């Protein structure tokens, strides 16, 4: 069986398979396919939901390459498809777990680009009017933080302090504590992973400082 289909009820052509794509995924699927046929991208790659033979939607990862004639016109597309439903379920559970944390959580890759975060982390940047998104770079984000602080206070950027923040991120101690521009104290606990990325928690410890 392939995706719950038997040889008797399996779709027999591309059009029939396409009818099984989830309505919310169909536009992106078709656009990526057209871009590849036109030669705008070298490889056709997409993940989408597909209605299986049992009536359930499953996540499918596809990759293909067109065979072309001498003029570059696509003749046929061949490739592979893989059921990634379990991986998607695991990712969803991981994201739910991250979002359930009471602390701010951020995961950066080896290039210091943000790969995952929760709303607690994003909320720490809201007083400065910053919107946190996946793909943003740690150094660039904190440069913007310092620029906003300097503009609000009418002073120059404290380059020494900025360099210290970056160094603490790249070579983290057990934890650090610092006061941010809205007066709160934040404790950061961060670790470097074997891949070169980092995972960190940011905890508001203002109440503890107020007791001191």
């Amino acid at each position: 069986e392939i995706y719950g289909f038997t040889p008797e009820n399996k779709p027999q052509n591309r059009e029939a398979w396409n009818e099984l794509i989830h309505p919310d995924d169909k536009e992106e699927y078709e656009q990526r396919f057209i871009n590849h046929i036109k030669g705008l991208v070298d490889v056709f790659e997409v993940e989408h939901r597909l209605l299986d033979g049992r009536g359930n939607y499953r996540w499918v990862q596809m990759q293909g390459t067109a065979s072309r004639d001498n003029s570059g016109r696509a003749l046929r597309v061949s490739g592979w498809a893989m059921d990634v439903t379990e991986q998607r379920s695991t990712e969803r559970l991981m994201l739910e777990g991250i979002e359930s944390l009471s602390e701010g959580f951020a995961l950066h890759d080896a290039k210091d680009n943000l790969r995952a975060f929760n709303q607690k982390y994003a909320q720490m940047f809201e007083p400065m009017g910053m919107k946190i998104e996946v793909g943003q770079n740690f150094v660039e984000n904190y440069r913007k933080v310092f620029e906003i602080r300097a503009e609000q206070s009418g002073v120059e950027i404290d380059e020494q302090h900025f360099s210290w923040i970056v160094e603490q991120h790249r070579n983290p101690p057990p934890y650090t504590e610092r006061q941010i521009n809205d007066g709160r104290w934040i404790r950061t606990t961060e670790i470097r992973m074997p891949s070169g990325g980092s995972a960190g928690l940011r905890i508001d410890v203002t109440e503890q400082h107020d007791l001191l």
Side-chain angles (χ1 to χ4, degrees), residues 140-159:
E140 293 174 359
N141 263 2
Y142 272 86
R143 167 61 66 177
K144 187 174 182 180
V145 167
F146 274 71
E147 289 174 351
I148 292 173
R149 286 180 179 174
E151 183 177 353
Q152 291 175 343
S153 59
V155 298
E156 294 184 357
I157 294 175
D158 186 340
E159 295 290 350

Side-chain angles (χ1 to χ4, degrees), residues 50-116:
L50 184 80
L51 189 65
D52 68 16
R54 302 179 183 86
N56 302 310
Y57 277 106
R58 304 192 66 80
W59 279 99
V60 177
Q61 182 183 71
M62 299 183 68
Q63 185 178 105
T65 305
S67 300
R68 302 179 185 274
D69 60 20
N70 292 334
S71 67
R73 183 171 64 92
L75 302 175
R76 63 188 298 270
V77 176
S78 59
W80 52 264
M82 179 187 302
D83 188 331
V84 293
T85 305
E86 292 302 320
Q87 292 94 313
R88 280 278 187 160
S89 296
T90 300
E91 290 173 6
R92 186 174 66 252
L93 286 172
M94 182 185 70
L95 292 175
E96 287 179 1
I98 290 172
E99 197 57 50
S100 299
L101 293 171
S102 59
E103 301 87 2
F105 175 85
L107 180 71
H108 291 83
D109 63 20
K111 294 182 179 180
D112 273 343
N113 295 322
L114 187 61
R115 290 305 173 200

Side-chain angles (χ1 to χ4, degrees), residues 151-187:
E151 183 177 353
Q152 291 175 343
S153 59
V155 298
E156 294 184 357
I157 294 175
D158 186 340
E159 295 290 350
Q160 185 175 358
H161 189 199
F162 174 72
S163 297
W164 179 83
I165 292 289
V166 174
E167 176 61 24
Q168 296 297 299
H169 168 69
R170 290 178 172 168
N171 297 286
Y175 72 90
T176 60
E177 290 185 1
R178 59 191 178 85
Q179 192 172 28
I180 59 178
N181 66 328
D182 63 0
R184 290 178 297 162
W185 281 90
I186 303 298
R187 176 181 296 165

